[in-house]
């Protein structure tokens, strides 16, 4: 029975797609889905709440427009070494859109020919759109941050002084977004000085006349401007034992503190901000708005229509 193993793998695939399980490269090779698939790729991916967030929005979209009734968002566990195989396969299998999360955002750039100007500046993509010619790369994280800080803290990035913590991928995206938005100044702190210096050097051409500087997290310079928006883009705070990513007490009174971390909902930094009476918020709104923008790119449905539905879905998924 030469067809038996293939029939078994299709059965297995059907069970996984029906139950929104974690899919693999082997599942992609055997892919068969009667509808319009979307997916997030990452490693690890088990704890991603993106499927819950996107599928809630797709269900609401289907009620308004029957075309979306066959759209579904899946998750794939893909190793970085398999990304070069997975992306052409996803294109051939006509996935309408892809989200990329850790560790794929930067390495994917090498596999995409058509990249939006902002994503090119950032050097990372988190959203891919299927086109006849190949994948088109976007980065919606900056939109997510700008919309999240406006919504939660009533602070726009433009004409605002920004104190950014971190020099990794998320910090780079945030820095580019702040500079493109025309922030009043950008001061960046990071634990490892050489990573900070590399980030500052790469941002200088984009900064133009916007003041750009770096500092050690434990020793904020006394002449930093008051009324800055503090954005944590480090992973310090994911664990309760992590150190504070900046000495908040030593900053001239900030306008607010936004922590990109959303799980746990209250990091040590946010607790300290609350103690100081500062407006503060976690990164859940950024997650929601980057997702709503990605869905807009794939479907044409405006991000602000889906954002409230997606926000409710992530709160349910996180038990909040
Ligand atoms: P990276 O690994 O690229 O960068 C990590 C950064 O955190 C580096 O600057 C690193 O500093 C710093 N860091 C790590 N551990 C510590 C520590 N113990 N003390 C001080 N600094 C530390 O990660 P990403 O940039 O991709 O992500 C950063 C955070 O942003 C994560 O927590 C992620 O969950 C969150 N995020 C949230 C999003 C959202 O939608 N809300 C979207 C994207 C990211 P060093 O250079 O010294 O190593």
């Amino acid at each position: 029975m030469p067809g038996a193993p293939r029939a078994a793998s299709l059965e297995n695939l059907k069970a996984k797609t029906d139950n929104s399980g974690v899919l693999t490269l082997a599942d992609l090779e055997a892919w068969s889905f009667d509808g319009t698939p979307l997916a997030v790729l990452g490693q690890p991916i088990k704890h991603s709440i993106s499927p819950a967030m996107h599928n809630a929005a797709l269900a609401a979209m289907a009620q308004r427009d029957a075309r979306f009734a066959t759209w579904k968002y899946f998750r794939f566990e893909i190793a970085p070494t398999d990304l070069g195989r997975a992306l052409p396969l996803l294109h051939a299998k006509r996935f309408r859109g892809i989200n990329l999360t850790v560790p794929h955002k930067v390495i994917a750039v090498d596999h995409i020919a058509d990249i939006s100007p902002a994503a090119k500046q950032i050097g990372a993509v988190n959203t891919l759109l299927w086109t006849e010619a190949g994948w088109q790369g976007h980065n919606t994280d900056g939109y997510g941050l700008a919309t999240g800080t406006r919504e939660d803290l009533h602070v726009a990035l433009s004409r605002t002084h920004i104190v950014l913590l971190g020099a990794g991928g998320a910090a780079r995206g945030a820095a580019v977004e702040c500079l493109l938005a025309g922030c009043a100044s950008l001061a960046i702190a990071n634990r490892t000085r050489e990573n900070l210096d590399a980030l500052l050097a790469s941002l200088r051409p984009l900064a133009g006349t916007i003041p750009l500087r770096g500092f050690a997290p434990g020793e904020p310079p006394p002449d930093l401007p008051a009324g800055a928006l503090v954005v944590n883009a480090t992973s310090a705070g994911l664990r309760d034992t992590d150190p504070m990513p900046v000495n908040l007490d030593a900053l001239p009174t900030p306008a607010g503190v936004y922590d990109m971390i959303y799980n746990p909902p209250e990091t040590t930094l946010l607790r300290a901000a609350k103690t100081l009476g500062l407006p503060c918020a976690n990164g859940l709104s950024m997650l929601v708005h980057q997702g709503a923008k990605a869905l807009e790119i794939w479907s044409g449905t405006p991000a602000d229509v889906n954002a409230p539905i997606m926000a409710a879905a992530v709160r349910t998924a996180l038990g909040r």
Side-chain angles (χ1 to χ4, degrees):
M1 286 260 292
R6 175 150 171 81
S9 86
L10 277 177
E11 234 0 78
N12 185 22
L13 172 65
K14 185 164 175 354
K16 280 191 187 177
T17 52
D18 285 352
N19 300 321
S20 302
V22 173
L23 295 154
T24 64
L25 186 63
D27 294 323
L28 182 57
E29 278 158 351
W31 187 255
S32 152
F33 176 68
D34 203 9
T36 302
L38 304 164
V40 59
L41 316 186
Q43 189 184 49
I45 202 66
K46 199 169 93 195
H47 299 294
S48 170
I49 52 177
S50 290
M53 178 169 86
H54 281 278
N55 283 321
L58 290 172
M61 284 161 62
Q63 286 187 348
R64 294 190 304 267
D65 184 338
R67 275 181 311 139
F68 296 116
T70 59
W71 287 45
K72 190 167 176 185
Y73 189 102
F74 300 94
R75 66 187 130 169
F76 282 87
E77 174 102 10
I78 300 288
T81 44
D82 287 334
L83 191 65
R85 167 96 187 113
L87 289 177
L89 260 178
L90 289 156
H91 191 267
K93 308 269 184 185
R94 292 201 160 239
F95 278 68
R96 170 83 185 151
I98 299 296
N99 274 149
L100 297 161
T101 185
V102 175
H104 298 312
K105 290 186 191 185
V106 174
I107 53 173
V109 170
D110 292 337
H111 300 281
I112 313 292
D114 181 11
I115 296 188
S116 75
K120 200 172 271 176
Q121 298 270 18
I122 296 165
V125 285
N126 75 336
T127 301
L128 306 181
L129 172 69
W130 189 96
T131 73
E132 200 72 56
W135 290 117
Q136 189 181 80
H138 299 263
N139 195 314
T140 66
D141 281 340
Y143 169 87
L145 174 66
T147 312
T149 56
R150 211 171 45 239
E151 180 177 275
D152 290 342
L153 301 174
H154 312 289
V155 179
L157 302 180
S158 66
R159 294 192 291 276
T160 296
H161 296 288
I162 311 285
V163 171
L164 178 63
L165 314 174
R172 181 170 173 79
V176 169
E177 182 69 20
C178 291
L179 294 173
L180 290 176
C183 60
S185 69
L186 178 59
I188 310 179
N190 192 53
R191 176 180 64 175
T192 307
R193 186 72 211 196
E194 61 181 317
N195 295 344
L196 173 61
D197 288 342
L199 177 61
L200 289 169
S202 74
L203 292 172
R204 266 204 182 99
L206 187 62
T209 56
I210 299 173
L212 172 68
R213 69 204 289 200
F215 66 93
E219 299 159 24
D223 60 338
L224 279 180
L229 172 67
V230 178
V231 177
N232 180 34
T234 75
S235 26
L238 287 174
R239 284 167 301 265
D240 238 10
T241 49
D242 285 343
M244 286 264 281
V246 74
N247 182 0
L248 201 55
D249 290 330
L251 291 179
T253 311
V257 178
Y258 190 85
D259 198 329
M260 285 193 193
I261 294 172
Y262 56 84
N263 206 10
E266 193 172 87
T267 57
T268 337
L269 177 70
L270 291 183
R271 268 198 298 281
K274 268 191 183 164
T275 306
L276 292 169
L278 300 173
C280 56
N282 68 35
L284 205 57
S285 53
M286 177 176 173
L287 175 80
V288 166
H289 290 294
Q290 64 74 31
K293 193 67 179 176
L295 195 47
E296 177 182 301
I297 290 169
W298 301 325
S299 69
T301 308
D304 55 1
V305 170
N306 281 325
I309 299 154
M310 295 168 101
V314 291
R315 282 198 200 97
T316 305
L318 291 167
R320 291 183 196 160

